[in-house]
Amino acid sequence: EAGVTQFPSHSVIEKGQTVTLRCDPISGHDNLYWYRRVMGKEIKFLLHFVKESKQDESGMPNNRFLAERTGGTYSTLKVQPAELEDSGVYFCASSPYLGQENNEQFFGPGTRLTVL
Amino acid sequence: LAKTTQPISMDSYEGQEVNITCSHNNIATNDYITWYQQFPSQGPRFIIQGYKTKVTNEVASLFIPADRKSSTLSLPRVSLSDTAVYYCLGYSGSARQLTFGSGTQLTVLP
């Protein structure tokens, strides 16, 4: 079974440019999460989809970030315009259930974003 | 389980048993205790989860005392490949998102 995949693995852009990150969750997983780790900080939650609907985007830092999940399958996270403080590693995770017990979230390898 | 405290780092030698203790004084009645492992350049990976007493799987054991204010992850006979960051985690919010702390950097030495 294929795991969670993310594309690209690395992205280097200049301040003010736009970048789009993609996540393909495990097939059949309704729940999709985006997290990120910025330099020297802990991994933080950004938002959560159930199928194609955003359920919780309380972690999104500002309106320069836009996430979508087309048809409840893959998801994209667009940063426009990118700022220096957006540099970090962006993780996507998926899970089949919503709850605490046995709710294993499967993480992708992350996309390392560098804004110059 | 919003706030957890665990050692920043630990060193061990190959073949030893490693115990990492996590403190979660404000654990709620319905909170589960979950541990993840993260290798460099990879996403976190689920290791084990428990609610009370002891849970064991093929990778680790998790010991939870009766008051549930702490938990101990036990890794038997570690090898060099167990060098990683270990997170003691809880779920929060309606999205059941994972709440990460700084984790414990375990370094296994030859």
Side-chain angles (χ1 to χ4, degrees):
Chain A
E1 179 182 322
V4 177
T5 58
Q6 294 186 244
F7 182 83
S9 57
H10 293 85
S11 180
V12 181
I13 61 173
E14 295 194 350
K15 175 183 173 181
Q17 290 186 321
T18 298
V19 63
T20 300
L21 313 180
R22 172 170 172 145
C23 168
D24 285 81
I26 293 172
S27 178
H29 283 194
D30 288 342
N31 296 282
L32 187 149
Y33 301 81
W34 283 96
Y35 296 83
R36 75 171 182 176
R37 185 209 303 273
V38 295
M39 188 64 70
K41 299 289 182 64
E42 298 160 355
I43 298 173
K44 295 288 189 186
F45 165 78
L46 294 178
L47 86 158
H48 168 234
F49 285 95
V50 175
K51 298 184 180 178
E52 69 277 6
S53 301
K54 290 178 195 173
Q55 293 295 299
D56 184 343
E57 48 184 335
S58 60
M60 295 286 261
N62 51 60
N63 60 10
R64 295 185 294 104
F65 289 75
L66 175 64
E68 295 180 326
R69 189 177 182 191
T70 306
T73 56
Y74 70 91
S75 174
T76 58
L77 180 64
K78 181 191 291 187
V79 185
Q80 178 182 31
E83 298 288 345
L84 299 178
E85 64 265 26
D86 301 331
S87 295
V89 182
Y90 290 75
F91 294 104
C92 174
S94 71
S95 72
Y97 310 113
L98 188 66
Q100 290 203 44
E101 186 176 10
N102 296 322
N103 181 16
E104 178 179 349
Q105 293 185 19
F106 297 83
F107 281 77
T111 292
R112 180 172 296 278
L113 174 64
T114 303
V115 182
L116 302 175
Chain B
L1 205 68
K3 177 66 176 177
T4 62
T5 303
Q6 50 184 126
I8 295 296
S9 64
M10 293 180 70
D11 290 343
S12 181
Y13 291 95
E14 280 191 291
Q16 289 187 330
E17 178 184 75
V18 171
N19 295 308
I20 305 174
T21 296
C22 176
S23 182
H24 28 80
N25 291 316
N26 295 321
I27 189 169
T29 303
N30 60 346
D31 279 340
Y32 281 75
I33 300 154
T34 308
W35 286 78
Y36 274 68
Q37 172 192 57
Q38 186 178 24
F39 297 111
S41 301
Q42 293 187 25
R45 184 180 73 167
F46 174 90
I47 302 176
I48 197 167
Q49 181 185 68
Y51 184 79
K52 61 180 179 180
T53 62
K54 176 183 175 183
V55 180
T56 298
N57 62 22
E58 65 278 6
V59 176
S61 294
L62 180 60
F63 299 91
I64 305 167
D67 67 6
R68 305 199 328 120
K69 293 184 183 300
S70 67
S71 59
T72 299
L73 175 72
S74 181
L75 304 172
R77 297 180 297 282
V78 294
S79 64
L80 297 177
S81 62
D82 292 317
T83 293
V85 178
Y86 292 82
Y87 294 98
C88 167
L89 299 165
Y91 297 89
S92 62
S94 59
R96 296 293 183 265
Q97 62 265 32
L98 293 168
T99 303
F100 286 86
S102 56
T104 297
Q105 171 66 60
L106 172 66
T107 302
V108 180
L109 305 169

